[in-house]
Amino acid sequence: MDLSPETDFSRKILDFAIVTLTTCAAFLFIFRTGNIKDGIVKPFDFLIAITGLFLLFSLTYPHFRNKIKSVKKDLYFYLFSFFLILLSIAIGQVISLFFYGNTNISATTLLYIKVIFNSYVFLIIAFLVYSFPGMLSKINKAMFLSPILIIPVIFGRFKNAYYNSIRLNGLFSDPNVFGSLLIVIFLIGLALFLDAKKAWYKYLIVGWLGFIANLIFLTSSRSAWISLLFGIFIWVCIYFFTKQKKRVFSLIVATTISLVVGFFFIPNNTKPYFIDRFFGEKIVRILIQKENLPNFVSQYKYGLISNQIRPFIWKFALVNIKKNPLGFGFVYLNKNPSVIKGEAVDFTSNIFLEITIYGGIMGLFAFLLFLLRIGGEFKRY
């Protein structure tokens, strides 16, 4: 049987693979390799490995071969950037091992496997989408519906799997990453809303956007909200300069209604935590005194979750970078956290500082090079 992409049978398989893998890869990011126990590989890991082998064997066919030739230079650049970042982290890891006592081999090995595997997954997904751009519409709709996986938590199911303490992290190990993904899905939903022709379809989309907004609130991710504001701002600017002012109004109305609905359904005992993370402890205490938060249970620690400590975290990261500009590799911060207001902090809350802690100046340079190239791609279009 001919398995080339030109046959109807193999094309249907590829269509299914592209939609399924893109959605799953996005939604299950980090959760996969970070939670492998006792050597058990999850079905999705097996599926992506099979797809990779399928693509490898498919390189003999003109369709894929021509596609690879057309992106060979870009592919080499991205592989080089990834290799340079990984190499810089490995160098930092060796330095950390011999000079700073960072000897947690099992944890660091898992992180390297995780980075390599996730990079492999997204390289395959990117190539599939590039090869079949007509699938983007289906992928967008699949991703917009993907938060359906969180619905069980509404009925009190699987809370231990879905929550990180009080913050919703979905199937992720980090609520901030999950919140950022939900912002992407939210923006996809807004695009579907603007393109919808029938009124009932628009109402349905806004209702689902309200549910997604509620999930974003429950992640309590400040970075996610910054991303949303930035995304909406750019969107409005594009419509303004292209003289599509009616769409600006529709965009703002749909966003506002969705966010109001999402906020309305936040549990009362979670609202103080959310308000504190965004507006500060004083406002929470004023609301409690005025009994605007009657069901609040005062079990949350203020200070660590407030915005005010970020400069202290960044200062601590910069001190470490100055101490060793070549980097420390993975797990160093877990072993050497900063102590701020009596709390141990093993993160930087800044991707650029995080990369520099891991891979030093060379790692930061490789990462910035990668971002500049991505920016160049956007400029091309």
Side-chain angles (χ1 to χ4, degrees):
M1 181 177 65
D2 184 10
L3 288 178
S4 67
E6 285 74 17
T7 64
D8 290 339
F9 177 74
S10 61
R11 183 55 188 266
K12 288 179 180 178
I13 292 176
L14 278 173
D15 286 356
F16 174 77
I18 294 168
V19 175
T20 305
L21 294 176
T22 304
T23 308
C24 291
F27 207 79
L28 302 182
F29 178 63
I30 290 180
F31 175 77
R32 298 189 312 270
T33 54
N35 288 269
I36 293 177
K37 295 179 180 179
D38 303 321
I40 298 172
V41 178
K42 294 181 175 59
F44 179 73
D45 299 331
F46 178 74
L47 181 60
I48 194 69
I50 293 297
T51 305
L53 289 173
F54 174 77
L55 284 177
L56 184 64
F57 287 116
S58 297
L59 295 183
T60 56
Y61 297 110
H63 178 84
F64 284 121
R65 195 164 58 242
N66 293 335
K67 287 290 182 181
I68 287 181
K69 285 181 180 178
S70 66
V71 295
K72 187 180 289 184
K73 290 183 180 179
D74 291 328
L75 184 61
Y76 285 161
F77 173 80
Y78 294 130
L79 288 175
F80 172 74
S81 299
F82 167 72
F83 171 76
L84 198 58
I85 291 171
L86 204 61
L87 177 64
S88 64
I89 296 173
I91 291 171
Q93 202 76 58
V94 173
I95 294 172
S96 187
L97 175 65
F98 286 101
F99 296 99
Y100 299 98
N102 187 6
T103 57
N104 195 336
I105 304 299
S106 59
T108 51
T109 302
L110 181 60
L111 286 169
Y112 280 100
I113 293 172
K114 200 169 168 181
V115 169
I116 293 170
F117 184 78
N118 282 326
S119 301
Y120 158 76
V121 168
F122 285 101
L123 185 62
I124 288 177
I125 299 304
F127 184 69
L128 283 172
V129 174
Y130 175 77
S131 299
F132 304 101
M135 295 301 296
L136 279 173
S137 176
K138 293 180 181 179
I139 290 168
N140 286 334
K141 290 176 182 177
M143 287 193 67
F144 183 55
L145 293 174
S146 61
I148 198 171
L149 295 172
I150 304 297
I151 286 180
V153 81
I154 296 174
F155 302 100
R157 303 286 183 180
F158 313 121
K159 280 201 170 185
N160 290 335
Y162 284 112
Y163 273 89
N164 175 7
S165 182
I166 195 173
R167 298 176 67 185
L168 180 69
N169 61 357
L171 295 174
F172 289 61
S173 60
D174 188 331
N176 290 317
V177 178
F178 183 51
S180 298
L181 169 67
L182 288 172
I183 293 299
V184 174
I185 295 173
F186 188 87
L187 293 173
I188 288 173
L190 287 175
L192 293 174
F193 168 82
L194 292 172
D195 286 339
K197 304 300 181 185
K198 297 181 179 179
W200 67 268
Y201 190 38
K202 286 181 177 287
Y203 296 145
L204 197 64
I205 290 172
V206 170
W208 189 245
L209 282 171
F211 172 69
I212 295 171
N214 180 253
L215 298 182
I216 297 170
F217 279 115
L218 293 177
T219 65
S220 293
S221 174
R222 287 165 288 202
S223 59
W225 288 106
I226 292 172
S227 300
L228 178 63
L229 291 173
F230 188 65
I232 296 293
F233 174 75
I234 292 175
W235 208 338
V236 168
C237 287
I238 291 172
Y239 281 154
F240 181 80
F241 288 114
T242 55
K243 298 181 180 180
Q244 301 182 64
K245 294 182 180 179
K246 288 184 179 179
R247 286 210 153 198
V248 171
F249 178 77
S250 299
L251 178 66
I252 293 174
V253 168
T255 303
T256 304
I257 292 174
S258 302
L259 296 182
V260 169
V261 170
F263 186 80
F264 179 79
F265 285 101
I266 299 177
N268 279 335
N269 64 340
T270 305
K271 286 178 181 176
Y273 182 89
F274 172 80
I275 295 170
D276 176 72
R277 285 181 62 81
F278 285 85
F279 304 107
E281 177 184 349
K282 291 182 180 179
I283 293 178
V284 176
R285 299 206 181 279
I286 290 171
L287 291 173
I288 292 170
Q289 289 172 2
K290 291 185 177 181
E291 298 184 350
N292 289 337
L293 298 168
N295 297 325
F296 171 61
V297 180
S298 57
Q299 60 185 2
Y300 313 120
K301 292 182 180 179
Y302 297 98
L304 177 63
I305 55 179
S306 296
N307 297 316
Q308 289 81 0
I309 68 164
R310 293 304 171 95
F312 295 103
I313 297 174
W314 297 333
K315 182 180 178 181
F316 171 74
L318 289 170
V319 168
N320 276 292
I321 292 167
K322 186 178 179 180
K323 182 169 67 174
N324 176 21
L326 296 178
F328 298 91
F330 292 127
V331 189
Y332 175 78
L333 288 178
N334 302 90
K335 291 280 187 178
N336 302 274
S338 61
V339 179
I340 301 172
K341 294 188 178 182
E343 296 286 345
V345 179
D346 58 358
F347 52 85
T348 64
S349 292
N350 184 300
I351 186 62
F352 301 102
L353 291 175
E354 196 92 5
I355 288 285
T356 313
I357 288 284
Y358 293 155
I361 301 300
M362 186 172 77
L364 177 64
F365 172 76
F367 184 60
L368 291 174
L369 201 64
F370 176 80
L371 291 181
L372 286 172
R373 185 60 174 265
I374 293 291
E377 292 295 321
F378 281 120
K379 194 175 180 180
R380 185 194 301 181
Y381 294 102

